[in-house]
Amino acid sequence: MPDLILALDVLSREEALSVAEAAAPHLDAIKIGYPLVLAAGLDIAAPLSEFGIPLIADFKVADIPNTNSLIAQQVFAAGFFAIICQGFCGSDSVAACVEAADDAGGECYVVAEMSHPGALEFLSGKNAELLAQMAVDAGAHGIIAPATRPERVQTLRAIIGDKKILSPGVGAQGGDPETIAPLIDGMIVGRSIYTAEDPAEAARTYARFRR
């Protein structure tokens, strides 16, 4: 059964810390993306780290290798444990993020397939399978695959073996935690926790699917 990862896409430092503190006893990691970092700054990682939960930088890094490397170095210097990058820029760009993660003693995950409907246009099928294989070849620690399409997770699992799968789309996007939990290593839940009237109780509800 998977770890529980909170996608903390709120827009203020105060709300981020409030939700994180409430949910922390039930979490294994917190994923932070552009919404919170653009609103509160990269240094939001410091107070969030005080809850003792690993932080994942979901910047879906997608640039040339040198730029990817510079971004990843800043992420790990700020106190993040892992970074998420896109694979469509090519294996050398992925390798730059993997190398930065390895140097920092952290982890790198490659987006293979996203959870929203539009992902079916380009980030699905054979393309997703090629990206999953690229992640393996680059030495990434795992991939991102959609909780909204469990059958695709199973297909991608056959490619990556025992590398980790972190899976977004549970809750607000319709992914069923009971169905996806046995297939993945990390279940990502966002709005269903951070917009809940009681984030602690919402997190506790999903925590029953944890390891």
Side-chain angles (χ1 to χ4, degrees):
M1 304 300 280
D3 291 340
L4 178 59
I5 302 168
L6 169 62
L8 191 57
D9 292 326
V10 299
L11 296 177
S12 77
R13 177 177 295 251
E14 293 73 20
E15 186 178 3
L17 295 176
S18 175
V19 171
E21 182 177 19
H26 310 294
L27 302 176
D28 299 289
I30 297 175
K31 182 174 74 71
I32 300 169
Y34 285 120
L36 179 55
V37 167
L38 290 174
L42 189 61
D43 63 354
I44 187 63
L48 286 173
S49 294
E50 294 179 6
F51 297 116
I53 301 170
L55 303 179
I56 301 170
D58 184 12
F59 297 163
K60 296 185 177 68
V61 183
D63 216 308
I64 65 170
N66 184 66
T67 303
N68 276 10
S69 181
L70 294 173
I71 293 170
Q73 288 169 19
Q74 290 297 308
V75 162
F76 289 110
F80 287 84
F81 171 70
I83 190 168
I84 296 173
C85 71
Q86 293 283 10
F88 57 73
C89 293
S91 57
D92 53 351
S93 292
V94 171
C97 289
V98 172
E99 182 178 356
D102 288 344
D103 287 347
E107 296 183 352
C108 176
Y109 293 86
V110 179
V111 176
E113 185 168 333
M114 296 175 72
S115 54
H116 63 300
L120 295 173
E121 297 169 15
F122 296 105
L123 282 178
S124 188
K126 186 62 176 179
N127 286 341
E129 291 153 28
L130 290 171
L131 291 170
Q133 185 61 56
M134 177 191 293
V136 173
D137 295 342
H141 298 81
I143 63 168
I144 307 300
T148 50
R149 292 186 285 279
E151 72 285 356
R152 293 295 301 151
V153 172
Q154 291 177 304
T155 297
L156 296 172
R157 170 63 77 192
I159 295 171
I160 69 165
D162 61 0
K163 288 186 178 292
K164 296 179 184 178
I165 296 178
L166 308 186
S167 199
V170 171
Q173 291 188 60
D176 175 33
E178 191 162 357
T179 299
I180 201 66
L183 308 177
I184 60 175
D185 303 283
M187 182 168 63
I188 300 172
V189 183
R191 284 169 283 175
S192 294
I193 293 177
Y194 70 74
T195 66
E197 189 170 321
D198 185 346
E201 177 59 24
R204 188 195 65 78
T205 299
Y206 285 104
R208 66 190 179 93
F209 298 100
R210 292 166 79 191
R211 299 188 191 284

